[in-house]
Amino acid sequence: MIVPSLSRQDVAVLREDTPGVSQLVHFNNAGTGLALKPSLNAVKEHLDLEARIGGYEAAAAAKARMDEFYTALAALLGCQPYEIAYVENATRAWDMAFYGIDFREGDRIVTGRAEYVSNYVAFLQMKQRKGIEIDIVEDDACGQIDLRGLQSAIGAKTRLVALTHIPTFSGLINPAEEVGEIARTAGVLYLLDACQSAGQIPLNVNDIGCHMLSGTGRKYLRGPRGTGFLYVNDAVLDQIDPPFIDLQSANWIDEATYELVPHARRFETWERYVAGQIGLGAAVSYAIGFGMERIGNRICGLGAQLRSELSGHSEIALHDKGARKGGIVSFTYSNEPASQTKARLAEAAVNVSVSQASSAQIDLSHRGLSSVVRASLHAFNTEEEIELFVKALVK
Ligand SMILES: Cc1ncc(COP(=O)(O)O)c(C=O)c1O
């Protein structure tokens, strides 16, 4: 089968629409994707409109553009627009789902070693508050969540399977669909952290089988900072009570009564970064225009190329695991501290970031790594930039 990827011409268009590429090599897309002109312009235009006619008036005038956020996200995830909530970042989106579950003492959460730091500390808080237990499923021989281990970890007390699809600190792509099949068979809630996978690889909530999925705007989707989203399947709405409500998420019926609004909008707040919502809608539509399968194939291909180049240097140790890997490449350079490698690359106008073990206590610490350099590639990056990167890295 021929794997569809982006053409040279597509990449030229992507770069034309990414002003920052003329200044530097941006391999920090897992931090923030480099700004995208159509999204940036949409944000600027709306801010200008707010300044000219007033914020509420601008929101009313931009209703169709605000609605595009829901239709674009629904197209990206293969769900209905009403199953999407606009939230200010991925963490709060995830929180709205997690803290909405009425955990009881003795309930168990099953998760993997890739779980994001903020999610894990929330598990610990819930353990302290309610007396729940956390079951960590070991990695399999390839380094992804062990599916047999997952199956046997799920028991009568399991309330939630929480999985991070792509960790913040490595190239691993966890088998989200297979995990969904196991959760479905067991009849357990499944919450997927898709913060790094949204915009990096194709996602379809029906294929994955997750009940809830959280994501951010600013990373692989290349939307504005301070934006995020939550998908909640209607079928589980009665099991998740929004931890906070306001006049957007609930109607005040009379002095003694309120009623949650239908669907996922009950996880939203009324006040919001409207320009950000419009900008994220524009960024998602832009990605869909190129096709997520083609974008995903290019990103994974560039990640594989960088890993292959780095593997030819004995002073470089690669730390990515998993049967399937994406565009995040984690490594250490000789005995050099990761922060120093990052600083050296910054001098050559190359952006990377550092993942600390303190944010990956059940993975990097577990592997005896104190920190790793994270180079995260996007579809607008090029083979030439990879060559440049390796030259700047190798002393
Ligand atoms: C896997 C993962 N989940 C969640 C988050 C949190 O996203 P946000 O900063 O938008 O809350 C991140 C951010 O790096 C992440 O990598």
Side-chain angles (χ1 to χ4, degrees):
M1 193 182 86
I2 297 169
V3 179
S5 186
L6 297 171
S7 66
R8 280 197 151 272
Q9 204 180 347
D10 290 327
V11 176
V13 173
L14 285 174
R15 291 180 74 75
E16 180 71 19
D17 286 338
T18 309
V21 296
S22 62
Q23 308 293 316
L24 42 74
V25 174
H26 188 70
F27 284 4
N28 191 14
N29 295 288
T32 57
L34 207 50
L36 176 68
K37 256 196 233 168
S39 170
L40 191 60
N41 291 343
V43 172
K44 285 181 181 170
E45 276 164 26
H46 190 75
L47 292 178
D48 284 343
L49 188 66
E50 285 185 342
R52 276 202 313 278
I53 68 168
Y56 288 9
E57 294 74 10
K63 175 152 188 335
R65 301 219 68 193
M66 289 175 73
D67 286 347
E68 183 192 343
F69 163 82
Y70 299 101
T71 48
L73 257 301
L76 184 83
L77 302 179
C79 65
Q80 297 299 324
Y82 58 75
E83 293 176 305
I84 298 291
Y86 176 53
V87 187
E88 68 259 40
N89 56 55
T91 302
R92 280 294 170 269
W94 187 95
D95 286 344
M96 288 304 284
F98 177 73
Y99 287 98
I101 301 168
D102 178 25
F103 287 105
R104 305 281 167 86
E105 190 176 349
D107 281 352
R108 307 188 80 90
I109 294 171
V110 176
T111 192
R113 293 206 168 272
E115 199 59 12
Y116 185 61
V117 46
S118 302
N119 307 351
Y120 205 89
V121 294
F123 299 155
L124 294 175
Q125 188 188 44
M126 198 57 82
K127 184 179 166 108
Q128 215 168 59
R129 278 186 185 171
K130 298 271 183 86
I132 58 131
E133 297 298 333
I134 309 162
D135 296 307
I136 301 175
V137 177
E138 289 303 330
D139 294 340
D140 68 11
C142 301
Q144 63 181 22
I145 189 166
D146 183 59
L147 295 169
R148 279 206 199 150
L150 172 67
Q151 208 149 18
S152 45
I154 296 178
K157 287 281 191 183
T158 304
R159 194 73 193 282
L160 176 73
V161 170
L163 183 76
T164 291
H165 199 181
I166 296 182
T168 203
F169 49 79
S170 94
L172 165 71
I173 302 177
N174 257 324
E177 286 84 358
E178 288 81 349
V179 169
E181 185 54 35
I182 293 169
R184 195 191 57 75
T185 308
V188 172
L189 282 174
Y190 176 21
L191 169 56
L192 185 70
D193 178 337
C195 188
Q196 295 291 356
S197 52
Q200 184 176 169
I201 55 171
L203 293 175
N204 182 298
V205 290
N206 297 311
D207 295 346
I208 293 171
C210 55
H211 302 105
M212 301 150 288
L213 176 152
S214 54
T216 207
R218 75 182 181 284
K219 296 178 186 286
Y220 276 92
L221 287 171
R222 299 214 280 151
R225 292 200 67 176
T227 64
F229 60 91
L230 176 67
Y231 155 81
V232 182
N233 189 306
D234 259 2
V236 298
L237 276 181
D238 59 345
Q239 296 178 60
I240 304 154
D241 195 24
F244 311 110
I245 55 175
D246 76 348
L247 72 169
Q248 167 83 4
S249 51
N251 292 317
W252 196 9
I253 306 296
D254 58 40
E255 199 174 318
T257 326
Y258 74 90
E259 195 175 67
L260 293 173
V261 300
H263 313 302
R265 304 286 166 96
R266 64 179 58 181
F267 299 100
E268 295 192 338
T269 48
W270 185 83
E271 175 53 7
R272 62 188 57 206
Y273 174 27
V274 174
Q277 179 174 340
I278 293 170
L280 179 51
V284 173
S285 296
Y286 182 88
I288 291 170
F290 282 90
M292 269 318 303
E293 198 164 336
R294 297 166 73 230
I295 288 178
N297 285 334
R298 171 146 180 99
I299 293 174
C300 295
L302 289 172
Q305 188 192 330
L306 179 55
R307 268 178 225 109
S308 157
E309 299 264 345
L310 296 183
S311 68
H313 297 270
S314 57
E315 65 278 38
I316 295 170
L318 284 163
H319 300 297
D320 296 328
K321 17 177 223 179
R324 194 179 159 212
K325 299 185 188 73
I328 300 178
V329 179
S330 59
F331 66 92
T332 41
Y333 185 86
S334 192
N335 291 325
E336 187 175 65
S339 56
Q340 205 172 315
T341 309
K342 175 186 163 181
R344 237 174 7 90
L345 288 166
E347 276 172 27
V350 176
N351 290 348
V352 293
S353 74
V354 170
S355 298
Q356 300 287 356
S358 55
S359 288
Q361 298 284 11
I362 57 170
D363 188 301
L364 295 183
S365 302
H366 190 68
R367 287 194 267 161
L369 294 163
S370 59
S371 58
V372 295
V373 183
R374 178 184 72 178
S376 45
L377 291 89
H378 208 300
F380 64 80
N381 290 127
T382 62
E383 293 73 2
E384 293 74 22
E385 285 182 326
I386 290 179
E387 301 300 328
L388 219 144
F389 173 86
V390 175
K391 270 200 192 120
L393 174 67
V394 177
K395 291 192 225 174

